[in-house]
Every structure is written in C-alpha cells, then in structure tokens.
Amino acid sequence: MKKTMGSYYLAAMMAMTFSLQVVAADLPEIEKSGTLKVATEDDYAPFNFMNNGNADGFNKDMLAALREYAKFNVTQSILPWTGLLAAVSTGQYDMALTGAVVTDERLNVFNFTPPWASAQHYFVKRAGDNSLNTIADLSGKKVGLQAGSALLARLPELKAMIEKSGGKLGPVVEYPSYPEAYADLANKRLDYVINVVISVNDLVKAKPKVFAKDWRSPARVIWRGPFRKTRRSFWPI
C-alpha cells in the first residue's frame, strides 16, 4: 500500500490490528468467549458524552443497535481519550468506539470502519470576537487542542500557512479533553481551539452565545475507497 499524508475522516476503530504483539480478540474468539469488550470516551460530543451521569451520544445508539442482534454480550467501559487507543492496541479491549481521525500512522495499528463523518478542521473562537476571521489573524495567538489528537500532527501545515501570511504560530496548549480547552477559551486563557467540523458545529449549536466557528470555506478532502486516499487541504481557506 502506497503511503500518503493521512485521510481526515472519522471512523470507529475496530479491535483487529496489524501488530502481532497486539492480543485483541478477533470475531471467532469473541464469539467463543461470549463477550465483546468495547472502550468509549465521554468527552467528545456528539459521539460520546455524559448526560445526567449516563453515557449518551451517537455511539451509544450504535452500541444499542449492536446489542439487539449480536450473539454475544457487549460490555462498555468509559476511558479518557489519552488512554483509549493504547487500551485497544494492548488487547485490554476488543474495540474502541469513538470519533477518530483516520491517519496513516493509526492504520498501521488499527482497522477502521468505513468513514461515516467528515473531519474537516475549523477553529473555534469566543462569540463576538471579531479579531479572528482569517488564517492571518491567528498569528501569535494561543491555541488549544486535545492531547493525543491527530490534529497535533497537522500543526506544521497551519504554521506554514500563518508564516506565508507574514505571521507566526503562537503557543500551543494540549488538554486531556476538549471540554477543558473550551472552558479555557471561554475564560480567555486561550484565543482559539482547533477541532473537527462535526464537533465544532455541535458546540456552537449548543452554546451560540459563548462560541463561534470560523465560517470560511471548508477543507477539500477526498476519500478514494478503503486505504486509498488523497489530501488536498484540511484547513478552511
């Protein structure tokens, strides 16, 4: 398989991996044991989040549908994002069900479902902040991202775009979860946060008086079938 830069789509990561060291069970083993162990997170709306102390979101509905026809038990454990992938790759769980950007590096370790959501990247700012509207406006500004996010590997491209406009990439702060980054943004400890469009849209819809999305043209990304992908640009331009 010829490697390219990564494909920016969201998918669920399945249990079976390419590494011989990984001991996550395959389907026959799961059927024999009678249990599929699923790991999810709780801070990535609209995919996984907590509602009155209970797991909620798109992936909760997916698990409910799976339990209706699966011939084995399906258990769910809620983990922080920073430990989610490692828990699957080391065989503690058979599957991670969450919104995850498909990258070449992750394809070396995990199998993914076919992509089911776009992962175009936008920046979130405080509502009413008219100082940030273009890539050039981000020069020197403090940005927040989730630790372990695939978006961290794309920062050099943002850096190049800002430098092309005559500016420079500002301080980068990593957070255990996006809600913590958004809280710092609302409290003016950050200038903007980078996340994928579906989560950004969910945030802005829920809190339109607090947060705003960069409304520039979306990134142009193409998926050319399983493991064949090409990337043109992932930043709004």
Side-chain angles (χ1 to χ4, degrees):
M1 178 181 69
K2 183 179 179 181
K3 292 293 182 182
T4 62
M5 288 292 296
S7 176
Y8 302 97
Y9 281 81
L10 291 169
M13 283 168 293
M14 305 304 291
M16 289 65 77
T17 69
F18 300 118
S19 171
L20 295 177
Q21 284 74 33
V22 175
V23 295
D26 58 18
L27 183 57
E29 291 174 316
I30 290 168
E31 292 177 332
K32 184 177 180 180
S33 71
T35 300
L36 172 68
K37 296 178 290 184
V38 180
T40 66
E41 55 180 315
D42 61 2
D43 275 332
Y44 198 42
F47 306 106
N48 301 303
F49 60 94
M50 301 302 290
N51 185 7
N52 295 323
N54 298 311
D56 206 342
F58 176 73
N59 290 333
K60 176 205 169 191
D61 296 337
M62 291 181 66
L63 281 178
L66 176 60
R67 289 187 174 107
E68 289 183 3
Y69 67 82
K71 297 180 180 179
F72 41 77
N73 294 323
V74 179
T75 63
Q76 177 186 10
S77 297
I78 299 174
L79 307 178
W81 163 255
T82 49
L84 190 69
L85 305 191
V88 176
S89 67
T90 56
Q92 298 176 56
Y93 294 90
D94 302 310
M95 171 182 172
L97 184 58
T98 188
V101 176
V102 182
T103 67
D104 289 326
E105 292 78 10
R106 289 175 180 172
L107 284 172
N108 286 330
V109 181
F110 302 99
N111 280 343
F112 286 76
T113 64
W116 38 256
S118 172
Q120 300 162 357
H121 308 345
Y122 282 78
F123 66 82
V124 184
K125 62 182 182 179
R126 287 181 293 278
D129 183 357
N130 297 319
S131 67
L132 300 181
N133 297 295
T134 68
I135 292 294
D137 295 335
L138 303 181
S139 176
K141 302 297 184 180
K142 184 181 292 187
V143 56
L145 298 94
Q146 187 176 46
S149 169
L151 306 191
L152 289 167
R154 307 274 68 88
L155 284 180
E157 298 181 32
L158 177 61
K159 179 176 180 289
M161 295 175 71
I162 294 175
E163 290 177 348
K164 187 176 180 179
S165 68
K168 65 177 182 179
L169 181 67
V172 177
V173 183
E174 298 182 31
Y175 291 84
S177 67
Y178 269 110
E180 294 173 79
Y182 294 143
D184 271 4
L185 175 62
N187 291 316
K188 299 184 178 181
R189 289 189 284 269
L190 289 176
D191 296 302
Y192 65 106
V193 172
I194 296 171
N195 202 351
V196 296
V197 63
I198 192 168
S199 291
V200 169
N201 286 345
D202 186 77
L203 174 74
V204 173
K205 181 179 179 180
K207 300 180 178 180
K209 295 183 179 180
V210 181
F211 301 108
K213 164 189 169 185
D214 168 56
W215 292 104
R216 310 296 290 184
S217 301
R220 300 183 294 276
V221 188
I222 300 173
W223 180 272
R224 291 182 173 177
F227 307 134
R228 293 183 65 238
K229 48 208 179 292
T230 182
R231 178 187 56 78
R232 292 184 182 175
S233 174
F234 77 96
W235 294 101
I237 56 176

